[in-house]
Amino acid sequence: QVQLVESGGGLVQPGGSLRLSCAASESIFSMYIMGWYRQAPGKQRELVAGITPGGKTNYVDSVKGRFTISRDNAKKTVSLQMNSLKPEDTAVYYCNAYRNYIGTKYNTWGQGTQVTVSS
C-alpha cells in the first residue's frame, strides 16, 4: 500500500503563501485519487482539495481562488499551493491517497503537517 510523506508546513502571516508537498512511495501513484484534508482544533477533518488521476480538481468553497492542487505522476508527488492565507486556514494538513480496485478500497493518510497563519 502507498505511503505518504508531507512537507512544507509552517508559520506564515495573513496574506502570505505556503506550498505543501506530498511524496508517495508506490509506483502506481498515478492510479490514486489524491487529496489534501485539514483539521483544526475542535473541528472535523475536511476535504480541502482533490485531484483525480486524470487531473480533474475540486475545492472546498472557502479556498477556491486561493489554493491550487497539482500532481506530478512521474515524480509521484501532489502539491497544494496556498495563497492569500487567512487565520482560519490554520490547521493540520493531511495528504490522502484513495483507490478503489475491483471493490477493494485503499485509503492512506500522511502524518500531517501544521500550517499556522498568524501575525
Side-chain angles (χ1 to χ4, degrees):
Q1 189 164 341
V2 64
Q3 294 182 334
L4 305 171
V5 178
E6 300 120 332
S7 61
L11 172 65
V12 64
Q13 292 186 342
S17 298
L18 279 176
R19 185 176 181 88
L20 305 182
S21 294
C22 174
S25 62
E26 197 163 309
S27 60
I28 59 170
F29 167 82
S30 62
M31 298 182 183
Y32 285 84
I33 297 171
M34 300 301 298
W36 285 98
Y37 289 72
R38 67 185 178 187
Q39 188 166 20
K43 295 188 176 181
Q44 288 188 331
R45 190 173 297 190
E46 67 169 351
L47 175 64
V48 176
I51 186 166
T52 67
K56 184 178 180 180
T57 59
N58 66 287
Y59 300 91
V60 66
D61 285 347
S62 61
V63 308
K64 286 180 180 177
R66 300 189 298 123
F67 290 12
T68 302
I69 189 171
S70 60
R71 67 189 296 160
D72 185 329
N73 289 333
K75 294 182 179 179
K76 297 181 290 184
T77 58
V78 60
S79 298
L80 185 67
Q81 178 65 41
M82 305 185 293
N83 299 327
S84 302
L85 282 161
K86 304 176 181 180
E88 51 263 43
D89 294 318
T90 295
V92 178
Y93 284 70
Y94 297 90
C95 180
N96 175 265
Y98 176 82
R99 182 188 181 209
N100 188 335
Y101 181 67
I102 314 178
T104 300
K105 297 179 181 179
Y106 300 89
N107 194 32
T108 303
W109 296 93
Q111 82 282 2
T113 185
Q114 177 70 46
V115 171
T116 302
V117 184
S118 175
S119 55

